Amino acid sequence: MAGWVDGMDMRTLGRVGIEVSPVGFGCWAIGGPFSNPAGEPLGWGVVDDDESVRAIRRAVELGVTFFDTADVYGAGHSERVLGKALAGMRDQVVIASKWGNTFDESTRVMHQQDATPEYVHKAVRASLDRLGTDYLDLYQLHFDTTDELALPLREACEELVHDGLIRGYAWSTDTLHSAELFAEGTYCVAVQHEASVLHDAPDFFALCEREDLASINRTPLGMGILGRRDASTPATGADIRTMPPSWLRYFDEGGIPAPEWWDKVSAIRDVLQSDGRTLAQGALAWLWARSPRTVPIPGFRTVEQAEENAGAMAFGPLKNEQLAEIAKLLAG
């Protein structure tokens, strides 16, 4: 791969030196509807698989090389769509997936977590089959658990590296201690955690710098409040934002942006949109400026959204004075 995209330096998945584009694409939304056993939505609503495939291929054309999914997204459907879209171009891209949640593909219901090392070996092979590849570049634990249960899972990931099934692993977590625990493993290359201009993560950025890890940023667009949603546009149907769980702080019941968060977006909108960026592109630019190790993974469902996300690379990171101005506005 080239060392830069649209003038921006490529990012690196730490320790093993896997290069990725500065922006990755998060593939939760393209999995389509799925739910918990109570019927509460866990996806982002109905999607058009053909449009998803076109969007992924357009992203690759525009220099995006990193795609992050999970086996549970759409109860396996996201992996299948991503595999179809990337068929014939495996050597051009870096693929990450996650494991830990059991589910039924036929009913699209997520059931419970399985924290056994035996399940890691079973789950990775199932993901490889759905994705149509013989290895993953990055494999990530997808739920929080105790040190006692996590340590055998870390060792199972080391075994998968030695077996040639994965190149590196990480923990998708917002618990710093958990990320530190996995970072002690030889082939841990990243931590996936929440980060956005609305949710700074200085401790995680410091950990990634200290341990030579990539910082893969979940919800870089605040689940859509930083570019895809406005205060008059509710979420509908089988969309997790219609019945937001406690961690989805940016939306009220019915999928309407929460007023206190919408006010923050309004306060910083002009700075994020400076130099010709869209709001979403400015939010990505904030993360790139925040740390040289960040790889934001915004979601997408259309070619238009894919082009907007990829187009952020042409602008590059915000300037230090813009970061300072945003910090002042959010503090005020």
Side-chain angles (χ1 to χ4, degrees):
M1 299 177 187
W4 53 272
V5 178
D6 271 339
M8 281 194 70
D9 289 337
M10 298 284 279
R11 300 309 217 215
T12 301
L13 300 186
R15 299 181 183 174
V16 297
I18 302 171
E19 285 193 334
V20 298
S21 51
V23 64
F25 272 33
C27 299
W28 180 9
I30 65 168
F34 69 113
S35 70
N36 63 21
E40 296 167 333
L42 298 175
W44 290 55
V46 176
V47 291
D48 179 337
D49 290 345
D50 290 337
E51 179 72 0
S52 298
V53 169
R54 287 191 291 269
I56 292 165
R57 291 176 179 170
R58 179 60 176 148
V60 174
E61 290 176 355
L62 295 172
V64 176
T65 66
F66 182 55
F67 295 88
D68 176 90
T69 186
D71 57 5
V72 77
Y73 294 161
H77 193 66
S78 174
E79 288 185 328
R80 294 191 185 280
V81 171
L82 183 61
K84 178 181 178 181
L86 296 178
M89 59 179 77
R90 182 64 182 93
D91 61 342
Q92 301 176 44
V93 295
V94 174
I95 299 176
S97 194
K98 310 180 194 76
W99 93 93
N101 297 285
T102 63
F103 55 90
D104 186 325
E105 279 202 65
S106 63
T107 61
R108 291 204 174 196
V109 173
M110 183 185 83
H111 293 295
Q112 60 191 13
Q113 285 83 42
D114 190 325
T116 63
E118 292 77 17
Y119 186 67
V120 181
H121 290 271
K122 176 182 177 181
V124 72
R125 286 167 172 82
S127 286
L128 294 175
D129 181 67
R130 285 187 291 266
L131 286 160
T133 183
D134 55 5
Y135 71 96
L136 289 172
D137 297 285
L138 178 63
Y139 203 36
Q140 300 158 105
L141 177 58
H142 203 190
F143 63 88
D144 282 328
T145 188
T146 64
D147 290 9
E148 183 180 10
L149 292 176
L151 284 170
L153 298 179
R154 191 184 73 189
E155 293 312 304
C157 287
E158 292 282 332
E159 293 170 5
L160 294 181
V161 174
H162 289 294
D163 291 343
L165 297 179
I166 67 174
R167 298 175 69 189
Y169 60 87
W171 195 334
S172 179
T173 181
D174 292 314
T175 302
L176 186 66
H177 172 72
S178 298
E180 291 171 335
L181 185 71
F182 257 40
E184 294 173 4
T186 302
Y187 289 99
C188 180
V189 300
V191 55
Q192 183 169 146
H193 61 94
E194 182 180 1
S196 73
V197 66
L198 298 176
H199 182 89
D200 200 358
D203 291 342
F204 279 89
F205 297 142
L207 170 66
C208 290
E209 186 64 35
R210 186 168 66 248
E211 298 292 342
D212 189 18
L213 304 174
S215 164
I216 300 172
N217 308 138
R218 276 187 277 105
T219 64
L221 304 183
M223 299 287 286
I225 198 172
L226 287 161
R228 312 282 198 234
R229 293 275 167 189
D230 62 41
S232 63
T233 308
T236 58
D239 189 320
I240 192 172
R241 292 168 293 189
T242 64
M243 300 176 65
S246 58
W247 58 264
L248 211 172
R249 65 185 74 85
Y250 304 119
F251 290 87
D252 287 337
E253 196 76 15
I256 298 293
E260 64 270 28
W261 290 104
W262 187 246
D263 289 345
K264 291 179 184 293
V265 173
S266 299
I268 60 177
R269 180 183 299 273
D270 287 346
V271 183
L272 292 177
Q273 291 182 313
S274 61
D275 306 316
R277 296 179 176 89
T278 66
L279 180 61
Q281 289 171 341
L284 299 177
W286 183 90
L287 281 163
W288 289 326
R290 189 64 185 78
S291 166
R293 295 181 176 272
T294 53
V295 185
I297 49 170
F300 67 100
R301 285 195 282 189
T302 67
V303 171
E304 181 182 7
Q305 291 173 351
E307 290 176 338
E308 181 181 8
N309 291 345
M313 294 187 292
F315 294 98
L318 293 180
K319 301 179 180 67
N320 288 336
E321 54 267 30
Q322 292 170 317
L323 286 187
E325 185 176 358
I326 287 171
K328 181 178 178 180
L329 290 167
L330 289 175

